[in-house]
Amino acid sequence: MKRLYTQTAAFLIALSVLVTAQGFFTNADAQIAIDKNENLFLIGDVRFGYFSQMGEQRDGSSLNVHEMRLRSRTGLRFNIHENVYLRARYAFRMNSRDIDLDPALHTSAPGNGGLKMGEGALDEAYINVDASDYFSFRVGRFQTSYSVPGVISNSIQRHDSPNTDVAWTDGILLRLKPAQQWSADFILQYHYHNPPTNVFRSPIQITTDDSPVTLFTSVTRSIENRAIEYVTLDINYSPEALIENSSGNRIDYLATSLKSRLSWDIKNGRELQWGGEFAYSFNRPEKEMVGFTNMNGDKAGGFGFQSNVSVRNLFPNHHLGFIAATLEPSLLTSSDYWNNIFLLEVRHQYVFNSRLSAETRIRYRGDLKKLDTFNQKRWQIFPYARLTYRFR
């Protein structure tokens, strides 16, 4: 307990230094100077809170982690033209357990959470062009998220920076609206100089030589004046990225998901929402590549599902969310879920205003199947309480 107090004190000291430094850029004088220029806007957010992980690992050892975390993302948007803008943002994350600051401009982040604690990087640096009402594109480094919206917004396929993670996509994003109520996103992500920062779990191995680009497509059909709001098909394709077997054979990784959301008014300003996502990985590794004994060349399972329920304005500005999810071992690109996982979560959100919100949650997550290389399944209870403030 004394160690936790010491860690927290050191963390708060470091936090005060960061807040003071950030205040230099966001104080009233600086804000007024920015506001005078109608084409320059301060952007970003700060997220701070208490996080804990408790449970047992696959080797039987106990897990008992308690820490404070901070993620700060601050940047500028400059409107060159009414249809063209530049955007750049610096992101930094740290915790109270390991005050080891390295806030340089890192160019790679190989962990599943993106940057390591204490590190910083430009997580956005791109130009966006709205060429017409039907076509727009951005080039550079940007954020991507294809989550099922709700009080808990998670994705089986692609979500760059959930929670306090810092990750990004380097590449090109094309957005098309070919017809009324239809839209499509096409992402070409390149890895010519550095490995990707967003999640590609083993046995996917992205390299600059074997798989210098990955592709992602999302096609949406919006629906008006119905309980069902939209239907979306996501396709995730990474050429020559998946290690299929112990011989090292490479095959393409191809996974798709179908998702949708329904909403109903339930009186007195309350709204009930249900969102779901069904996913399947077509090209799958052999079982031995994900921790199972394999004598016959059998493939690991590739199905995934999440079900997301939200109650909006249960009380004024109080929102409640529930989620259940399960992913078999061959779904390998989610930053919200492990592969081979079973997860349950309940979350409460209170919205103070358009910029400030508070969330508390409790999550259970554990292995869907016991790996043959370990004696037991791992499981975790993962609660947090956090505040998020948005500049704009």
Side-chain angles (χ1 to χ4, degrees), residues 9-55:
F11 178 78
L12 291 175
I13 292 171
L15 174 62
S16 67
V17 173
L18 285 174
V19 170
T20 301
Q22 183 162 294
F24 177 80
F25 296 102
T26 60
N27 61 27
D29 292 339
Q31 189 67 52
I32 290 172
I34 290 174
D35 289 343
K36 285 181 179 179
N37 187 335
E38 296 180 355
N39 295 316
L40 189 62
F41 303 95
L42 181 69
I43 58 170
D45 57 66
V46 177
R47 177 166 285 168
F48 171 75
Y50 165 79
F51 295 77
S52 177
Q53 296 181 62
M54 299 165 285

Side-chain angles (χ1 to χ4, degrees), residues 11 14-15 18 22 45-49 51 53 67-74 89-106 108-123 143 160-168 197 199 335 361 365 382 384 386:
F11 178 78
L15 174 62
L18 285 174
Q22 183 162 294
D45 57 66
V46 177
R47 177 166 285 168
F48 171 75
F51 295 77
Q53 296 181 62
E67 63 186 16
M68 308 298 289
R69 291 187 193 173
L70 168 74
R71 184 187 69 183
S72 175
R73 305 188 296 187
T74 307
R89 188 175 70 182
Y90 176 79
F92 175 81
R93 67 194 302 241
M94 63 181 293
N95 66 11
S96 61
R97 291 194 306 125
D98 184 15
I99 307 295
D100 184 14
L101 302 184
D102 183 18
L105 292 176
H106 291 268
S108 63
N112 285 334
L115 291 181
K116 297 177 183 177
M117 290 295 177
E119 291 184 341
L122 286 174
D123 74 333
Q143 296 292 304
D160 278 350
S161 301
N163 203 356
T164 59
D165 294 355
V166 176
W168 56 81
T197 65
V199 172
S335 57
R361 82 161 186 205
R365 62 185 181 186
F382 190 5
Y384 70 51
R386 71 186 190 191

